[in-house]
Every structure is written in C-alpha cells, then in structure tokens.
Amino acid sequence: MVDGDSAAPSLSVVAPCFNEAEIVGAFLVRMSAAAEAAAGGDFDIILVDDGSTDGTWPIMAAAAAADPRIVAIRLRRNFGHQMAVLAGLRAARGARVLLIDADLQDPPELVGPMMSQMNGGADVVYGRRVERVGETVFKRGSAALFYRLLRRLSSVDIPVDAGDFRLMTRRVVDLLVALPEQHRFTRGLVSWIGGRQEPIDYVREARFAGATKYPLAKMLRFALDALTSFSIKPLRLATWLGFAAAGLALMLMGYSAVQWARGHVVDGWTSLFIAVTTLSAVQLVVLGILGEYVGRLVIESKHRPHYIVDAVISARGLNAAAPLMPLPGVAMALPGLTLPAGPASS
Ligand code: UDP
Ligand code: MG
C-alpha cells in the first residue's frame, strides 16, 4: 500500500518456528481463520523455520505449496528467534504486519481487535500480557523483574509485560528491518522507532504443545542483549564502584593511622583480607560487564549477514524491496515443483 505495491496484501502474518512440528498445523488453521475474519482473505502468512531438526519444515513446505497465501522460509541453521523474526519481516509485504509466536501462546484471534485499534491511527498495537497461564513462577517473576530493570536502565520507553506479539504498519516494519544491528531486541527496537504505540490487553495462554525453546541460558543471553543494546549505564557502574572504593579506602587509611598511633600495627589481618577479596571481586565484575559490551562490539564489527536463507516456498515472488539475502545455491521453489530437500527434512 504505502510502498505502492498493488499486489501487496493488507495483512501479513509473520511467525517464527523452531521445532514446532506438533503446532504448525494447528497454528495455520487458527491463524488463517482469524486473518480471514480480520482482513477478508487479503492476507498472507510467512512461516520461518529457524533450523528445526524435527518435522517442522516438511509440514510448512507442504502447506506453502498447497496454499498461495502461505510462504515458507527455511533458515540454514538455528539463528535464534530474533533472526527468524527479521527474516520473516523482510519477506512480509503486507500494508500491516502481525508478528506472532507459532506456539499459540499469543491468541491469533486478537488480530481483529488489533486491526480495528490500528484504524484509529496507531502505528503499533502491541499485546500486553495481563495474565500468563501455564508459565512457571520463575519465568513470570524473572520476566517481571527484568522488564522493570530494563525500563530503569534504558532511555527508550520499552513497555513492561509485552513480548514481540504486535501489529505494525508498513512504515514501522520498513524502519525496523533497516536497522543494521546484530543483537536484535525487536520489541525494544520498535519502541525506539517511536510513533503512536498502543497496548491491547490479553491473556497469554499456555503453550499449545511442546516445550519452550527458551531455556534459561538462552533467556539470560536475550536479557543481556536487551540490556547492552539499550543501556550503557552498567558501564557507568565501574565509575560509581570506583568512587565507593576510594571512599572506603580513605576510611581504612584513617583507621590504620589510628591503629598505628596506638601501636596495634600487626592487627587487622581480617580487614585487610576482606578488603583485598572484595576489591578483586568488584574488579572482576566490572571487567565482566566491560567484556559483555566489547564482545558485542566485535560481533557487530564483522558485519556478517543476520542469517542465511536455505529455501523459500511461495506461490508469489518475494518482496523485491527487501531481498532475503539471496545466496548461491538457494532453492526457490514454486507450487508444482518438487520441494527442496532440507538437510533435516526427514
Ligand atoms: N523460536 C525460534 N528460534 C529459537 C527459539 C524460538 O524461532 O531459537 C520461536 C518458537 O518456535 C516460538 C517463538 O520463537 O514460535 C517463541 O519461542 P518460545 O515459545 O519457545 O518462547 P517462550 O514463549 O517460552 O518465551
Ligand atoms: Mg512460547
């Protein structure tokens, strides 16, 4: 619409999938029905297989070959949720784009109310989780804590209790995919872009099937990406700790002077030991924080592509304005042609 492409649908749905063989089918049924109701048939669904090792790809590929409204994109390996999201957004041509998890934790039926709300002029309508069903106390607690910490540390107004589930205008998506950074915290980047961003409340359901693809280690990395992408305040911590340590050192100096005057000079092993261990711990922490930023700088400086596309199955051409980083040997399949055999499509 905005980009002048008359063939662009009014709604594109983007869903990343990693080992979701038990879910893709059910997701497509519910999502298609919801999109049909919200956009009257004028929609497409872009499924991104983020290097699944189960039967996700064959199911997606078959769906895309049978239904011209479905596009299946296979990444060459697991590049991570945020990269899969980027690949999907680059391929989306709709005037509006819905970003949604494939595991049915985000209700597809909310797309209707989101579309209506956007008619009121919003650039982004994001899902705000008023309740989270079937998630552990730890996940809920750590998420609540993390989003509040991020909000305090960041100068960007990132809403709490919101994931990536959101409806965006074409303009927002164009701006989003143009951001070159490697460590992508999509929900934060969308906030950074600005404009009218409105919440819509929903209950986050339990997973339809399967287990979370965000184990603790991945969750921590994601949290660190978010913090380092949106705040350099932790770096300033070193300065404050330095001042605090200097203050402490002054007090200790006074104390040792008094002890010396009293002739107790061999006393104080305990305080010396505590001071040495505390200060070395502080130094290691500060070094670690520095390392988090420097490491990310190294990765950013390499300018590698965000992901590699292995195969695309679609009845239509891809978004010419935002090519999917075509690489030699990439399979482009059209309905009627045989499906490319993905490395793990058994
Ligand atoms: N996902 C992905 N790549 C990954 C991890 C997850 O594409 O490396 C997808 C996953 O299939 C799902 C969405 O991202 O559609 C959200 O992941 P998940 O449901 O496991 O996260 P949670 O809801 O538990 O935070
Ligand atoms: Mg989930």
Coordinates of all heavy atoms in Angstrom, one line a residue, residues 253-308:
M253 N 42.3 4.2 55.6 CA 43.5 4.9 55.9 C 43.5 5.5 57.3 O 44.4 5.4 58.0 CB 43.7 6.0 54.8 CG 44.8 5.7 53.9 SD 45.0 7.2 52.8 CE 44.5 6.4 51.3
G254 N 42.4 6.2 57.5 CA 42.2 6.8 58.8 C 42.3 5.8 60.0 O 43.1 6.0 60.9
Y255 N 41.6 4.7 59.7 CA 41.6 3.6 60.7 C 43.0 3.1 61.0 O 43.4 3.0 62.1 CB 40.7 2.5 60.3 CG 40.7 1.2 61.1 CD1 40.0 1.1 62.3 CD2 41.4 0.1 60.6 CE1 40.1 0.0 63.0 CE2 41.4 -1.1 61.3 CZ 40.8 -1.1 62.5 OH 40.8 -2.3 63.3
S256 N 43.8 2.8 59.9 CA 45.1 2.3 60.1 C 46.0 3.3 60.8 O 46.9 2.9 61.6 CB 45.7 1.9 58.7 OG 44.9 2.0 57.7
A257 N 45.8 4.6 60.5 CA 46.6 5.6 61.1 C 46.4 5.6 62.6 O 47.4 5.6 63.4 CB 46.3 7.0 60.5
V258 N 45.1 5.5 63.0 CA 44.8 5.4 64.4 C 45.4 4.2 65.1 O 46.1 4.3 66.1 CB 43.3 5.4 64.6 CG1 42.9 5.2 66.1 CG2 42.7 6.8 64.2
Q259 N 45.3 3.0 64.4 CA 45.9 1.8 64.9 C 47.4 1.9 65.1 O 47.9 1.4 66.1 CB 45.5 0.6 64.0 CG 44.0 0.3 64.0 CD 43.5 -0.2 65.3 OE1 44.1 -1.0 66.0 NE2 42.3 0.4 65.7
W260 N 48.0 2.5 64.1 CA 49.4 2.7 64.1 C 49.9 3.5 65.3 O 50.8 3.2 66.0 CB 49.9 3.3 62.8 CG 51.4 3.6 62.7 CD1 52.4 2.7 62.5 CD2 52.0 4.8 62.9 NE1 53.6 3.3 62.6 CE2 53.4 4.6 62.8 CE3 51.6 6.1 63.2 CZ2 54.3 5.6 63.0 CZ3 52.5 7.1 63.4 CH2 53.9 6.9 63.2
A261 N 49.1 4.6 65.5 CA 49.4 5.5 66.6 C 49.3 4.8 68.0 O 50.0 5.1 68.9 CB 48.5 6.7 66.6
R262 N 48.3 3.8 68.0 CA 48.1 3.1 69.3 C 49.1 1.9 69.4 O 49.1 1.2 70.4 CB 46.7 2.5 69.3 CG 45.7 3.6 69.6 CD 44.4 2.8 69.6 NE 43.3 3.7 69.9 CZ 42.0 3.3 69.9 NH1 41.7 2.1 69.6 NH2 41.1 4.2 70.2
G263 N 49.9 1.7 68.4 CA 50.9 0.6 68.4 C 50.3 -0.8 68.1 O 51.0 -1.8 68.3
H264 N 49.1 -0.8 67.5 CA 48.5 -2.1 67.1 C 48.8 -2.5 65.7 O 47.9 -2.9 65.0 CB 46.9 -2.0 67.3 CG 46.5 -1.9 68.7 ND1 47.0 -2.5 69.8 CD2 45.5 -1.1 69.2 CE1 46.4 -2.2 70.9 NE2 45.5 -1.3 70.6
V265 N 50.0 -2.3 65.2 CA 50.2 -2.4 63.7 C 50.0 -3.8 63.2 O 49.7 -4.0 62.0 CB 51.5 -1.8 63.3 CG1 51.4 -0.3 63.1 CG2 52.6 -2.1 64.3
V266 N 50.2 -4.8 63.9 CA 50.1 -6.2 63.3 C 48.6 -6.7 63.3 O 48.3 -7.6 62.7 CB 50.9 -7.3 64.0 CG1 52.4 -7.1 63.6 CG2 50.8 -7.2 65.5
D267 N 47.7 -6.0 64.0 CA 46.3 -6.3 63.9 C 45.8 -6.0 62.5 O 46.5 -5.4 61.7 CB 45.5 -5.4 64.9 CG 45.4 -6.0 66.3 OD1 45.9 -7.2 66.4 OD2 44.9 -5.4 67.2
G268 N 44.6 -6.4 62.3 CA 43.9 -6.0 61.0 C 44.1 -7.0 59.9 O 43.8 -6.6 58.7
W269 N 44.5 -8.2 60.1 CA 44.6 -9.2 59.0 C 43.2 -9.4 58.4 O 43.1 -9.4 57.2 CB 45.2 -10.5 59.6 CG 45.3 -11.5 58.5 CD1 46.3 -11.7 57.6 CD2 44.3 -12.5 58.2 NE1 46.0 -12.7 56.8 CE2 44.7 -13.2 57.1 CE3 43.0 -12.8 58.7 CZ2 44.0 -14.3 56.5 CZ3 42.3 -13.9 58.2 CH2 42.8 -14.6 57.1
T270 N 42.2 -9.5 59.3 CA 40.8 -9.8 58.8 C 40.4 -8.7 57.9 O 39.9 -8.9 56.8 CB 39.9 -9.9 60.0 OG1 40.5 -10.8 60.9 CG2 38.6 -10.5 59.5
S271 N 40.5 -7.4 58.3 CA 40.0 -6.3 57.5 C 40.8 -6.2 56.2 O 40.2 -6.0 55.1 CB 40.1 -5.0 58.2 OG 41.4 -4.8 58.8
L272 N 42.1 -6.5 56.2 CA 42.9 -6.5 55.0 C 42.5 -7.6 54.0 O 42.3 -7.3 52.8 CB 44.4 -6.8 55.4 CG 45.4 -6.4 54.4 CD1 45.5 -4.9 54.2 CD2 46.8 -7.0 54.8
F273 N 42.2 -8.7 54.6 CA 41.8 -9.9 53.8 C 40.4 -9.5 53.1 O 40.2 -9.7 51.9 CB 41.7 -11.1 54.6 CG 41.4 -12.3 53.8 CD1 42.4 -12.9 53.0 CD2 40.2 -12.9 53.9 CE1 42.1 -14.0 52.3 CE2 39.9 -14.1 53.1 CZ 40.9 -14.6 52.4
I274 N 39.5 -9.0 53.9 CA 38.2 -8.7 53.4 C 38.3 -7.6 52.3 O 37.7 -7.7 51.2 CB 37.3 -8.2 54.5 CG1 36.9 -9.4 55.4 CG2 36.0 -7.6 53.9 CD1 36.1 -9.0 56.7
A275 N 39.2 -6.6 52.5 CA 39.3 -5.5 51.5 C 39.9 -6.1 50.2 O 39.4 -5.7 49.2 CB 40.2 -4.4 52.1
V276 N 40.9 -6.9 50.3 CA 41.5 -7.5 49.1 C 40.5 -8.3 48.3 O 40.3 -8.1 47.1 CB 42.8 -8.3 49.5 CG1 43.3 -9.1 48.2 CG2 43.9 -7.4 50.0
T277 N 39.8 -9.2 49.0 CA 38.9 -10.1 48.3 C 37.7 -9.3 47.7 O 37.3 -9.5 46.5 CB 38.3 -11.2 49.2 OG1 37.9 -10.6 50.4 CG2 39.4 -12.3 49.4
T278 N 37.2 -8.3 48.5 CA 36.1 -7.5 48.0 C 36.5 -6.8 46.7 O 35.8 -6.8 45.7 CB 35.6 -6.5 49.1 OG1 35.4 -7.3 50.3 CG2 34.3 -5.9 48.7
L279 N 37.6 -6.1 46.8 CA 38.0 -5.3 45.7 C 38.3 -6.1 44.5 O 38.0 -5.7 43.3 CB 39.3 -4.4 46.1 CG 38.9 -3.3 47.0 CD1 40.1 -2.4 47.3 CD2 37.9 -2.4 46.3
S280 N 38.9 -7.3 44.6 CA 39.2 -8.1 43.4 C 37.9 -8.6 42.8 O 37.7 -8.7 41.6 CB 40.2 -9.3 43.7 OG 40.1 -9.7 45.0
A281 N 36.9 -8.9 43.7 CA 35.6 -9.3 43.2 C 35.0 -8.2 42.4 O 34.5 -8.4 41.3 CB 34.7 -9.7 44.3
V282 N 35.0 -7.0 42.9 CA 34.4 -5.8 42.2 C 35.1 -5.7 40.9 O 34.5 -5.4 39.9 CB 34.6 -4.6 43.1 CG1 34.3 -3.3 42.3 CG2 33.6 -4.7 44.3
Q283 N 36.4 -5.8 40.9 CA 37.2 -5.6 39.6 C 36.8 -6.6 38.6 O 36.6 -6.3 37.4 CB 38.7 -5.7 39.9 CG 39.2 -4.4 40.5 CD 40.6 -4.5 40.9 OE1 41.3 -5.4 40.5 NE2 41.1 -3.5 41.6
L284 N 36.6 -7.9 39.0 CA 36.2 -8.9 38.1 C 34.8 -8.7 37.5 O 34.5 -8.8 36.3 CB 36.2 -10.3 38.7 CG 37.7 -10.9 38.9 CD1 37.6 -12.2 39.7 CD2 38.3 -11.0 37.6
V285 N 33.9 -8.2 38.4 CA 32.5 -7.9 37.9 C 32.6 -6.8 36.9 O 32.0 -6.9 35.8 CB 31.6 -7.5 39.1 CG1 30.3 -6.9 38.6 CG2 31.4 -8.7 40.0
V286 N 33.3 -5.8 37.1 CA 33.4 -4.7 36.2 C 34.1 -5.1 34.9 O 33.6 -4.7 33.8 CB 34.2 -3.5 36.8 CG1 34.6 -2.4 35.8 CG2 33.5 -2.9 38.0
L287 N 35.1 -5.9 35.0 CA 35.7 -6.5 33.8 C 34.7 -7.3 33.0 O 34.6 -7.2 31.7 CB 36.8 -7.4 34.1 CG 38.2 -6.9 34.0 CD1 39.2 -7.9 34.5 CD2 38.5 -6.5 32.6
G288 N 33.9 -8.1 33.7 CA 32.9 -8.9 33.0 C 31.9 -8.0 32.3 O 31.5 -8.3 31.1
I289 N 31.4 -6.9 32.9 CA 30.5 -6.0 32.3 C 31.1 -5.4 31.0 O 30.5 -5.4 30.0 CB 30.0 -4.9 33.3 CG1 29.3 -5.5 34.4 CG2 29.2 -3.8 32.6 CD1 28.9 -4.5 35.5
L290 N 32.3 -5.0 31.2 CA 33.1 -4.4 30.0 C 33.1 -5.4 28.9 O 32.9 -5.1 27.7 CB 34.5 -4.1 30.4 CG 34.9 -2.7 30.7 CD1 36.2 -2.5 31.3 CD2 34.8 -1.9 29.4
G291 N 33.4 -6.7 29.3 CA 33.5 -7.8 28.3 C 32.2 -8.0 27.5 O 32.2 -8.2 26.3
E292 N 31.1 -7.9 28.2 CA 29.8 -8.0 27.5 C 29.6 -7.0 26.4 O 29.2 -7.3 25.3 CB 28.6 -7.8 28.5 CG 28.5 -8.9 29.5 CD 28.1 -10.3 28.9 OE1 27.5 -10.3 27.8 OE2 28.4 -11.3 29.5
Y293 N 30.1 -5.8 26.7 CA 30.0 -4.7 25.6 C 31.0 -4.9 24.5 O 30.7 -4.8 23.4 CB 30.1 -3.4 26.3 CG 28.9 -2.9 27.0 CD1 28.7 -3.3 28.3 CD2 27.8 -2.3 26.4 CE1 27.5 -2.9 29.0 CE2 26.7 -1.9 27.0 CZ 26.5 -2.2 28.4 OH 25.4 -1.9 29.0
V294 N 32.2 -5.2 25.0 CA 33.3 -5.4 24.0 C 33.0 -6.5 23.0 O 33.2 -6.4 21.8 CB 34.7 -5.5 24.7 CG1 35.8 -5.8 23.7 CG2 35.0 -4.3 25.4
G295 N 32.6 -7.6 23.6 CA 32.3 -8.8 22.8 C 31.2 -8.5 21.7 O 31.3 -8.9 20.6
R296 N 30.2 -7.8 22.2 CA 29.2 -7.4 21.2 C 29.7 -6.5 20.1 O 29.3 -6.6 19.0 CB 28.0 -6.8 21.9 CG 27.1 -7.9 22.5 CD 26.1 -7.3 23.5 NE 25.2 -8.4 23.9 CZ 25.6 -9.3 24.9 NH1 26.7 -9.2 25.4 NH2 24.7 -10.2 25.2
L297 N 30.6 -5.6 20.5 CA 31.2 -4.7 19.5 C 32.0 -5.5 18.5 O 31.9 -5.2 17.3 CB 32.2 -3.8 20.3 CG 31.9 -2.4 20.2 CD1 32.3 -1.7 21.5 CD2 32.7 -1.7 19.1
V298 N 32.7 -6.5 18.9 CA 33.4 -7.4 18.0 C 32.5 -8.0 17.0 O 32.7 -8.0 15.8 CB 34.2 -8.5 18.8 CG1 34.8 -9.5 17.8 CG2 35.3 -7.9 19.6
I299 N 31.4 -8.6 17.5 CA 30.4 -9.2 16.6 C 29.8 -8.2 15.6 O 29.8 -8.5 14.4 CB 29.3 -9.9 17.4 CG1 29.8 -10.9 18.4 CG2 28.3 -10.5 16.5 CD1 30.2 -12.2 17.9
E300 N 29.5 -7.0 16.1 CA 28.9 -6.0 15.3 C 29.9 -5.6 14.2 O 29.5 -5.4 13.0 CB 28.5 -4.8 16.1 CG 27.3 -5.0 17.0 CD 26.0 -5.2 16.4 OE1 25.8 -4.9 15.1 OE2 25.0 -5.6 17.0
S301 N 31.1 -5.5 14.5 CA 32.1 -5.0 13.6 C 32.4 -6.0 12.4 O 32.9 -5.6 11.4 CB 33.4 -4.7 14.3 OG 34.1 -5.9 14.6
K302 N 31.9 -7.2 12.5 CA 32.2 -8.2 11.4 C 31.2 -8.0 10.3 O 31.4 -8.4 9.2 CB 32.0 -9.6 12.0 CG 33.1 -10.0 12.9 CD 32.9 -11.4 13.4 CE 33.7 -11.8 14.6 NZ 35.1 -12.0 14.3
H303 N 30.0 -7.3 10.6 CA 29.0 -7.1 9.5 C 28.6 -8.3 8.8 O 28.5 -8.3 7.6 CB 29.5 -6.0 8.5 CG 29.8 -4.7 9.2 ND1 28.8 -4.0 9.9 CD2 30.9 -4.1 9.4 CE1 29.4 -2.9 10.4 NE2 30.7 -2.9 10.1
R304 N 28.5 -9.4 9.5 CA 28.0 -10.7 8.8 C 26.5 -10.5 8.5 O 25.9 -9.8 9.2 CB 28.3 -11.8 9.7 CG 29.6 -12.3 9.7 CD 29.8 -13.7 10.4 NE 31.2 -14.0 10.5 CZ 31.7 -14.5 11.6 NH1 31.0 -14.7 12.7 NH2 33.0 -14.7 11.7
P305 N 26.0 -11.3 7.5 CA 24.6 -11.2 7.4 C 23.9 -11.8 8.7 O 24.5 -12.6 9.4 CB 24.3 -12.1 6.2 CG 25.6 -12.8 5.9 CD 26.7 -12.1 6.6
H306 N 22.7 -11.4 8.9 CA 22.0 -11.8 10.1 C 21.7 -13.3 10.1 O 21.6 -13.9 11.2 CB 20.7 -11.0 10.3 CG 20.9 -9.6 10.5 ND1 20.9 -8.6 9.5 CD2 21.2 -8.9 11.7 CE1 21.2 -7.4 10.1 NE2 21.3 -7.6 11.3
Y307 N 21.4 -13.8 8.9 CA 21.0 -15.2 8.8 C 21.3 -15.7 7.3 O 21.5 -14.8 6.5 CB 19.5 -15.4 9.2 CG 18.7 -14.4 8.4 CD1 18.3 -14.7 7.1 CD2 18.3 -13.2 9.0 CE1 17.5 -13.8 6.4 CE2 17.6 -12.3 8.3 CZ 17.2 -12.6 7.0 OH 16.5 -11.7 6.2
I308 N 21.1 -16.9 7.1 CA 21.3 -17.4 5.7 C 20.0 -18.2 5.4 O 19.5 -19.1 6.1 CB 22.5 -18.4 5.5 CG1 23.8 -17.7 5.9 CG2 22.5 -18.9 4.1 CD1 25.0 -18.6 6.0

